[in-house]
Amino acid sequence: MSTPQRTENKSQDADRAAAGKLPAAIGLALLVCLPAAFVVGILHTNKPHLLAPGDQAPALTVIDLDSSTIHQIGFKGKPAALLFFSADCPHCLREISNFDRLNRRFGDTIRFLAISTSSKSKTSELLGVNQLDIQTVLDYNQAGCTDFGVDIVPALFLVGADGTIIYGESGEKSLGSREQLLLKLSNTTTQTKD
């Protein structure tokens, strides 16, 4: 065999080998990725989902900061603004400060409740240092987070007088955007009374 013919045969052999490796590589990728995709799918379906507008707001089992008693809070009768937060979260610190300001403005028509996912001592320290006067309770065994589908704090919920969720979202928002939401809720409440 001449050298050019050997080179051509080697090139053809290499092309056949490469062509055979492509389906094997695809098969290997599928073998590795499909189980991972399956596990991610299972984890995603088990991930809590925030309650959405129209959902009924469940009663919260909470611990009172002052007396350390455990009790339930329901949400029928007066519209409510609920803020889930953590004392260790910088986004939550800004949110709860804004929430306190909004309570001063809308507190006559809307019930404000801050629900801490942190310990009693950290929560009390946060409220004292920042001179916050908002009604604050502790989420008993994280049951509120579970029931409302909260996995990221801060999370804000607005609940209508009939006990249904009007708004629910996780993440920090500006004071102005929160004010607009509460203004709409407050106006709805005022119109209902007339």
Side-chain angles (χ1 to χ4, degrees), residues 29 53 90 92 144 183:
C92 296
L183 192 57

Side-chain angles (χ1 to χ4, degrees), residues 125-169:
E125 180 182 345
L126 172 85
L127 296 174
V129 166
N130 294 286
Q131 299 177 341
L132 301 174
D133 194 31
I134 188 83
Q135 181 186 3
T136 306
V137 294
L138 303 176
D139 187 4
Y140 180 71
N141 289 337
Q142 304 298 312
C145 283
T146 300
D147 292 346
F148 278 78
V150 174
D151 63 343
I152 298 172
V153 290
L156 177 73
F157 293 90
L158 300 181
V159 182
D162 63 353
T164 58
I165 302 291
I166 295 171
Y167 172 88
E169 187 173 25

